[in-house]
Amino acid sequence: MIRLAALDMDGTLLNPEGRITERTARTLKEFQNSGGELLICTGRSYADAVEPLEEWGLRAAAACMNGAALYSRQGELLMHRPLEYAQTAWILECCKGLPLLFDFMTDQGSVTINTEADLRRVFAGGMRFPIAAYSLENIRKKFRVVAPEELFSQGLTFYKISLIHADPGILSEVEQRIKKRAGLSVASSDPYNRELTHGEAKKGNALAIYAAMKGIGLHEAMAVGDSENDRSMLTLDLKYTVAMGNAMESIKKTARCCTRTNGEDGAAYALENLALYRLAAVS
């Protein structure tokens, strides 16, 4: 019997247009109404994670920023694992001289050290990304610009740093530099970013912590995801680990099961067949 379902958001719970479909919303509500615990495991901040849920009147616990912060269904902060300032300084040192876009996810929202001139130059050069959040318009709207020399005087708590570039080779280069320092976790949600968190801040760790808080065994849990930042939860000894039909090939090889794509309500299909159907069979 599945008592806890951990679902990634972008590429998993959300369809290609970035929304929860009616069928998926109905399935999530049915799972919760049956007594199941729903945990959203996402690279997003809490505010960005709850927005698609609220459209359908849904509420759920959430492991945000790749597990750096864990929130209850009511929005209470249950646990957090922020980056240390020394770790953040090391990341910046490793990135010196590279034309990267920076997204610092903090307790005060998203911050960048890229200037308006930097952004215009990058996008004028033809840089394009598959995720709408990386558009010039959205970066201007959602990010607060801070001068590099003032970054550590703002009283910020750093949860996750995303490094963004159109050339995956440059990102691989900086990843190798960063990995020389222990205590950092490096993941990605697409080929054009690297997501950096404290070494203990992983979706899998947050899932295990939440399950323990709720008295749920890992053999009573399932996880569904599509990208490398989901690997830590898909390698746990859960009852079911599920890759989306649109998942990276490496993730399909990691998970025990594969479902339909996010354009075909794959997360709902997995819940219906692995949790709700079996729940109905034993009730």
Side-chain angles (χ1 to χ4, degrees):
M1 177 178 170
I2 297 300
R3 297 176 58 202
L4 171 62
L7 305 176
D8 170 54
M9 188 157 257
D10 292 279
T12 299
L13 189 61
L14 305 185
N15 68 6
E17 287 71 50
R19 301 182 69 182
I20 296 174
T21 67
E22 182 178 359
R23 174 186 174 178
T24 296
R26 185 173 62 247
T27 301
L28 296 179
K29 289 178 181 179
E30 187 177 351
F31 179 70
Q32 288 185 317
N33 290 339
S34 71
E37 283 284 342
L38 184 63
L39 178 66
I40 304 302
C41 294
T42 178
R44 294 181 174 214
S45 67
Y46 181 73
D48 286 341
V50 299
E51 187 175 343
L53 298 170
E54 289 175 341
E55 182 179 356
W56 294 100
L58 285 159
R59 301 184 76 172
C64 297
M65 296 166 287
N66 291 355
L70 178 63
Y71 297 87
S72 71
R73 185 171 177 173
Q74 293 73 35
E76 175 192 2
L77 180 63
L78 301 175
M79 176 278 296
H80 71 156
R81 293 284 187 274
L83 285 158
E84 299 166 6
Y85 272 27
Q87 292 175 313
T88 302
W90 166 259
I91 291 167
L92 288 174
E93 181 64 28
C94 291
C95 296
K96 188 177 292 185
L98 295 174
L100 299 164
L101 294 184
F102 293 86
D103 176 4
F104 297 89
M105 299 184 76
T106 79
D107 61 331
Q108 299 178 35
S110 284
V111 170
T112 186
I113 55 174
N114 297 105
T115 65
E116 175 75 14
D118 289 338
L119 297 175
R120 284 201 305 268
R121 187 163 50 249
V122 164
F123 283 90
M127 185 180 285
R128 295 292 182 269
F129 301 100
I131 298 177
Y134 297 159
S135 70
L136 177 57
E137 180 183 355
N138 283 344
I139 289 175
R140 279 173 172 160
K141 184 167 52 179
K142 296 186 68 172
F143 288 64
R144 178 161 65 94
V145 176
V146 173
E149 64 273 14
E150 297 176 1
L151 188 63
F152 296 109
S153 63
Q154 303 290 308
L156 300 169
T157 298
F158 298 97
Y159 285 115
K160 188 178 85 166
I161 303 173
S162 289
L163 309 176
I164 305 158
H165 198 279
D167 183 351
I170 287 179
L171 292 171
S172 295
E173 176 187 341
V174 74
E175 178 179 352
Q176 293 310 309
R177 296 182 190 178
I178 289 168
K179 281 185 172 179
K180 292 178 182 178
R181 185 185 182 104
L184 288 168
S185 176
V186 183
S188 64
S189 54
D190 65 62
Y192 306 99
N193 75 7
R194 290 297 186 274
E195 301 173 348
L196 315 173
T197 57
H198 188 282
E200 296 299 316
K202 298 178 182 179
K203 291 185 180 183
N205 288 355
L207 191 168
I209 290 170
Y210 188 73
M213 286 179 174
K214 292 295 180 177
I216 297 173
L218 295 183
H219 64 285
E220 301 173 295
M222 65 181 286
V224 188
D226 74 304
S227 62
E228 284 295 332
N229 66 1
D230 299 315
R231 181 178 293 278
S232 63
M233 65 178 184
L234 297 178
T235 51
L236 291 175
D237 190 20
L238 308 179
K239 179 70 173 179
Y240 301 111
T241 55
V242 185
M244 296 294 292
N246 53 284
M248 297 175 177
E249 287 303 315
S250 59
I251 293 303
K252 289 181 179 179
K253 292 176 181 177
T254 298
R256 299 195 190 103
C257 314
C258 191
T259 185
R260 297 172 178 173
T261 70
N262 66 325
E264 302 169 309
D265 293 301
Y269 185 76
L271 264 179
E272 290 161 2
N273 285 276
L274 299 178
L276 291 172
Y277 170 77
R278 293 173 186 274
L279 187 64
V282 299
S283 62

